[in-house]
Structure formats: structure tokens, C-alpha cells
Amino acid sequence: MPGFEIFGAEERKQVNDVLETGVLMRYGFDGMRNNHWKAQEFEAAFAKRMDAEYCQLVSSGTAALTVALAAAGIGAGDEVIMPTFTFVASFESILALGAVPILVDIDDTLTLDPKAVEAAISPKTKCVMPVHMCGSMADLRALKAICNKHSLILLEDACQAIGGTYEGKALGSYGDLGCFSFDYVKTITCGEGGAVLTNNEKYALHADHYQDHGHDHIGKDRGAESHPFLGYNFRISELNAAVGLAQLDKLDGILNTQKENYTMLREALKTINGVTFRRVPEGGEENYSFLSFFLPTEELTQKAHKAIAEAGVDACFYWYTNNWHYINGWEHLRNLKTLGNLPSEVQTQMQDLNNTDFSKSDAVMGRTISSLIKIGWTEKQVHERAEAIKNAIASVL
Ligand SMILES: *Cc1c(COP(=O)(O)O)cnc(C)c1O
């Protein structure tokens, strides 16, 4: 996920536009800003590229999830179904609103298992939050059918899968709301930033107000604006938005290079007996930011991961134990370690995560290794990488 690999003159030019006027805020100061509206420009360009009606930029991907949930009216005691394999922002955003994260199993797509989702629905469920991890997507058709049947909101976390598609639609534009991150290690970066996409006018309006203290943004005098409901400050700055504008222009080039490098690596690894790949739901196309593969058993996978690292190959991840993208790493969540008291709804409705059976997720994650796909690799480097991984796996199989 390599936006930072290609930071250059285009980003500097955009940032300098802002620095020359000194208007670092996205709202107001019309006379001083020399007609630079970087956040607005980015929103229009991103909505167009993703073929969505509305885009709201915010200060991070975590903020995007929080704003999207708030915009959809999620609040205290509402249950949001999320996967066991994700980034911590999933439960952080849900808990921030007093809502209750309900964790369910993933399947061989490395994302929400629709059967597990259906089994977890209660009268308090309001939202299903698939997370398109490592460049590929959840079975959105199945999830949408479940959401329609039970009148639930479908909120896609597309932070790791920008540019991927499902049934011809951009990931993040298929559900009721979609969220993106532009933090420093994502496919395109603002330094820090995020976005909410939606085709729902009401949610778009809610997101616009909520991320800026409830301001209705009507008229030209910020101080005189009214506040139809309470909000918060999740605004992006013009400087960050300016970087993102330049990066967005580079997105399609990044995706093409990722696909080439991914394909070379996959062709090489598929010749190994015992290696299989994550399932991409029918109708989906990945964004190729990771290549994720399975080995036959957890024990072999741990040995292979160790051998790969010892061979000097970087950026191959074993999420099951080596990272905090899986429930195994969330000791603070499992034991509800918070600074202050949690809302009583959360305390009573949360699963006992230390004693919930996630063996189906374990059976998948214990056998998964993901290689990051960089765009700066030469063809020779990709082949060397493939050889090194092949030899490392062969040494343990
Ligand atoms: C990065 C990420 C986020 C949060 O983004 P930040 O901008 O770092 O707050 C949320 N979800 C997923 C899946 C991510 O990878």
C-alpha cells in the first residue's frame, strides 16, 4: 500500500498552493484563499472516480468510520456486526458512539462469513460492517441480501481496498456507506485523512454536519451558521487534502503496477504444491495491494513464515499471531480495558470475547500469509522475491 513510495513534485505543488495563501482550513476565508478549495476539489474528484453521489473528507479512516456510523444514526446500544480480522478502527469507531461491536467469524475470503453474520443478528442489530482486508472484498451480494432482509445498514470499510471493484462497482460504493483511509501507509495518502462515500443524500448531509461540530454550512458567515444537531470535529486540513489531490491522480498508475507485480508473484507461487490462495468472491476484482495465500496447516504456516523472514524477505505478514489485525492481538478489547467507564449497554451486550468460539476464523487465519505488493519493485526483484519465498516454503513442506 505504497502512496508514500511516489511522493513527489505533484504533491509539493498542491501543498505549495495552500502554503502561499496560508489558508490551512477547508472552510471560509474566501477572500484570502486565492480560490484554493483543496478539500472540496478532492471530494468532487474522489466521488467521480468512485462513481458515488457524495464524498465527505475527514481527518482519518477511523474518523470516516465514526462519521459514517453517526450519519446513519447508530448510537448507544445499537449492535454493529464486524469481523474478527480487521484493523482496530472497526471496534474503536463503534465504541466511540456507545454502540456495541459484535465480532463474527471470517471465511476463506478473509472477510465476513455471511452465514456467521446472519447467525449473529439480534433485535438490536443496526449495521453490518464488512472490512475488505488486504485488497480484496467481502461477499457483498450475500451481505446486501441479508441487510435488505433484516433492514440493516451495510457499511463497507474499504480502507485497504481502494480501487478494487465488485460487480463493476468501486468497493466502498456498493453498500449504504463506504469508508476510506489516506493514512501514511495506505494505497494513496494524505499524510492523515479519510473519506466517506454514499449515494444517500440524508447520510451525506449528516456526515457534512457531524464532522464539523454540526455546522449546517449554509451561507458565507461561519459564525452565523446554525447547528441542527450535535457534532464533533473530524475535519481534514487543506494541507492534507492538497497531498491527497495529487495522490488521487496517481491511483490508476499504482493499481496497474500492483496488478503486474501481484500477477508475477502469484504465477510463481501457484506452482508450489500445498499453496492455495484467498478466495475472491465471484464478480470481484482485487486492488492487488497484497497477495494472501494459505498453507495446509497452522504449524507449517508458522514454520514457513519464519523461514521466509530468515531468507531476508520483508513485508510478509502472519496476522494470526504477529500483528494486531486479528482478535488474538486485541487483549485490550477482550478485557475491555478503558480509561473511563463504558456505557452500560456496551457492558451488558458485549460478547465475552475471551470465551467466544472463533475456531472457524482461527482455522483460516492460522494458515494465512500475506505479502505486501510494492510498486517500486523491478521485475527482477519480484522474481527474486518469488524464488526466495518458494525456497523457504519448500524447506518446510
Ligand atoms: C487504516 C485502516 C483504518 C483506519 O484508518 P486511519 O486513517 O489509520 O485511522 C480502518 N480500517 C482499516 C481496514 C484500515 O486498514
Side-chain angles (χ1 to χ4, degrees):
M1 297 195 287
F4 65 81
E5 288 185 68
I6 50 163
F7 187 93
E10 300 80 7
E11 285 78 1
R12 279 192 289 277
K13 157 80 176 70
Q14 288 286 352
V15 172
N16 277 332
D17 282 351
V18 178
L19 291 177
E20 273 158 20
T21 68
V23 180
L24 310 184
M25 188 183 186
R26 65 164 300 176
Y27 296 113
F29 302 93
D30 297 24
M32 286 167 63
R33 59 192 311 137
N34 200 14
N35 243 346
H36 291 312
W37 300 92
K38 301 300 183 187
Q40 277 186 32
E41 228 185 289
F42 188 0
E43 284 168 348
F46 193 60
K48 183 154 179 268
R49 170 62 180 79
M50 296 289 138
D51 201 14
E53 235 13 82
Y54 306 99
C55 169
Q56 178 65 54
L57 279 186
V58 289
S59 52
S60 70
T62 310
L65 291 166
T66 311
V67 169
L69 289 165
I74 308 287
D78 294 336
E79 294 180 0
V80 180
I81 293 176
M82 57 161 278
T84 51
F85 176 50
T86 179
F87 181 58
V88 292
S90 307
F91 54 76
E92 287 171 351
S93 58
I94 297 165
L95 288 168
L97 293 167
V100 185
I102 301 293
L103 277 68
V104 310
D105 276 321
I106 54 141
D107 60 21
D108 59 350
T109 64
L110 303 185
T111 67
L112 280 179
D113 174 359
K115 287 192 291 297
V117 169
E118 191 133 38
I121 292 172
S122 83
K124 297 198 164 133
T125 308
K126 284 279 169 60
C127 177
V128 177
M129 187 195 277
V131 184
H132 306 313
M133 285 299 278
C134 304
S136 182
M137 79 283 327
D139 186 343
L140 286 169
R141 174 177 284 271
L143 294 176
K144 193 169 220 169
I146 292 169
C147 287
N148 288 346
K149 182 169 150 202
H150 298 273
S151 300
L152 307 175
I153 290 152
L154 181 61
L155 193 170
E156 293 172 75
D157 178 340
C159 291
Q160 293 195 10
I162 186 172
T165 61
Y166 181 76
E167 293 181 348
K169 290 199 167 98
L171 295 178
S173 75
Y174 189 94
D176 297 292
L177 296 134
C179 293
F180 296 83
S181 164
F182 308 116
D183 78 24
Y184 191 56
V185 294
K186 293 304 202 281
T187 303
I188 58 172
T189 183
C190 290
E192 300 283 358
V196 180
L197 288 186
T198 183
N199 292 315
N200 181 308
E201 189 181 355
K202 186 176 80 176
Y203 295 163
L205 197 76
H206 287 174
D208 168 84
H209 295 10
Y210 186 78
Q211 58 88 40
D212 185 23
H213 305 294
H215 276 269
D216 67 6
H217 300 136
I218 293 173
K220 286 277 171 203
D221 180 358
R222 188 167 165 81
E225 288 174 7
S226 62
H227 308 87
F229 50 81
L230 291 169
Y232 207 80
N233 180 2
F234 291 114
R235 289 190 309 259
I236 193 164
S237 90
E238 280 288 276
L239 288 171
N240 295 92
V243 175
L245 254 181
Q247 289 260 309
L248 183 56
D249 278 342
K250 301 181 179 182
L251 176 61
D252 290 317
I254 292 173
L255 295 173
N256 286 337
T257 307
Q258 282 181 175
K259 185 172 182 174
E260 283 168 21
N261 290 347
Y262 169 108
T263 305
M264 279 190 274
L265 196 58
R266 182 168 175 140
E267 289 300 310
L269 298 192
K270 87 174 186 204
T271 60
I272 309 172
N273 224 336
V275 168
T276 52
F277 297 94
R278 103 181 278 170
R279 180 166 63 85
V280 177
E282 203 188 319
E285 178 165 15
E286 303 178 62
N287 83 345
Y288 305 103
S289 53
F290 284 88
L291 176 63
S292 297
F293 54 92
F294 305 125
L295 290 169
T297 66
E298 180 183 323
E299 194 194 338
L300 282 173
T301 312
Q302 300 209 3
K303 283 188 182 155
H305 180 252
K306 191 156 168 277
I308 289 168
E310 281 167 4
V313 176
D314 70 343
C316 268
F317 302 103
Y318 184 57
W319 312 110
Y320 187 53
T321 52
N322 284 36
N323 209 288
W324 71 334
H325 281 61
Y326 188 58
I327 186 167
N328 283 345
W330 304 332
E331 197 261 340
H332 59 338
L333 175 70
R334 281 187 275 114
N335 298 311
L336 289 180
K337 289 188 179 164
T338 51
L339 291 176
N341 289 329
L342 285 164
S344 58
E345 291 91 340
V346 174
Q347 293 185 33
T348 53
Q349 288 165 239
M350 274 284 287
Q351 298 147 294
D352 173 3
L353 290 173
N354 285 314
N355 294 297
T356 307
D357 176 12
F358 292 119
S359 53
K360 285 193 176 134
S361 301
D362 290 344
V364 176
M365 291 314 298
R367 297 187 300 110
T368 304
I369 295 176
S370 298
S371 165
L372 185 67
I373 303 294
K374 289 195 188 166
I375 57 176
W377 290 334
T378 61
E379 201 173 321
K380 181 160 168 277
Q381 284 173 321
V382 181
H383 288 301
E384 283 167 4
R385 183 181 182 86
E387 272 315 297
I389 295 177
K390 268 166 85 168
N391 292 337
I393 294 176
S395 76
V396 304
L397 277 183

